[in-house]
Amino acid sequence: MDAITVKSMFDLQSEIIRLEKSRQEQEMVLKQRFSSPSAIFSSIRSAFPKAPEGEGGGIGSFISPDVIGLISRFVLPIALNKTLFKKSNFIIKTVVGLLSQKASTYISEDSVTSVWGRVKSLFGKKPSTARKAATVKQPTVRPV
């Protein structure tokens, strides 16, 4: 920013007013960015951009991990140990934690969206597959 020289009381007041307007504009931008849960999720997601398709690992994938895979590494073991293995001993909970972290490597954003698409298709509108019954002509019986 340019250095503003303040030579009089009027210059100081105008600079204070300019800074107040700038602060209000920044507040409005932040309020819009965090106005709904989906906006908050997209803001958090933008902090972890996906690695370009050509780079299959390395530093690019370490800096920008898959958010759902990262979350599942912590949520899956906790959820299993708090629900299914609630009264298990320490060794069982440790094994469950290790196995679920290993399994969470297979959970990615793409796999979650594909499963979600399948679930939505199950409950979506189904095309009409029922056919009208064909009318069958009854043979006429002649009296003998």
Side-chain angles (χ1 to χ4, degrees):
M1 284 184 30
D2 297 329
I4 309 254
T5 56
V6 177
K7 296 182 180 179
S8 67
M9 184 63 92
F10 179 74
D11 291 342
L12 182 61
Q13 289 175 343
S14 64
E15 181 64 18
I16 290 172
I17 292 171
R18 185 187 70 79
L19 289 174
E20 279 292 321
K21 286 183 181 179
S22 175
R23 182 185 61 87
Q24 289 174 353
E25 289 173 359
Q26 290 174 355
E27 282 179 357
M28 291 298 291
V29 169
L30 285 174
K31 283 180 183 177
Q32 287 176 349
R33 188 159 185 172
F34 296 106
S35 62
S36 67
S38 63
I40 292 171
F41 182 71
S42 66
S43 296
I44 292 171
R45 196 167 167 216
S46 67
F48 301 102
K50 277 189 166 182
E53 293 296 323
E55 299 175 12
I59 276 240
S61 64
F62 180 74
I63 292 174
S64 57
D66 185 20
V67 175
I68 294 180
L70 184 69
I71 290 171
S72 70
R73 288 185 63 105
F74 299 105
V75 172
L76 190 60
I78 291 170
L80 286 174
N81 283 330
K82 293 289 183 182
T83 57
L84 296 177
F85 300 100
K86 193 173 197 175
K87 297 187 180 197
S88 298
N89 61 12
F90 175 74
I91 294 173
I92 298 294
K93 287 188 177 189
T94 304
V95 169
V96 167
L98 291 173
L99 290 177
S100 60
Q101 282 193 357
K102 185 70 175 173
S104 70
T105 59
Y106 299 107
I107 299 173
S108 68
E109 186 175 352
D110 297 330
S111 65
V112 171
T113 54
S114 68
V115 168
W116 181 249
R118 289 179 189 158
V119 169
K120 279 176 55 177
S121 68
L122 289 175
F123 294 107
K125 291 182 180 178
K126 294 183 180 178
S128 176
T129 57
R131 295 182 184 167
K132 291 183 179 179
T135 55
V136 179
K137 292 184 181 180
Q138 297 292 331
T140 55
V141 179
R142 293 185 194 166
V144 185

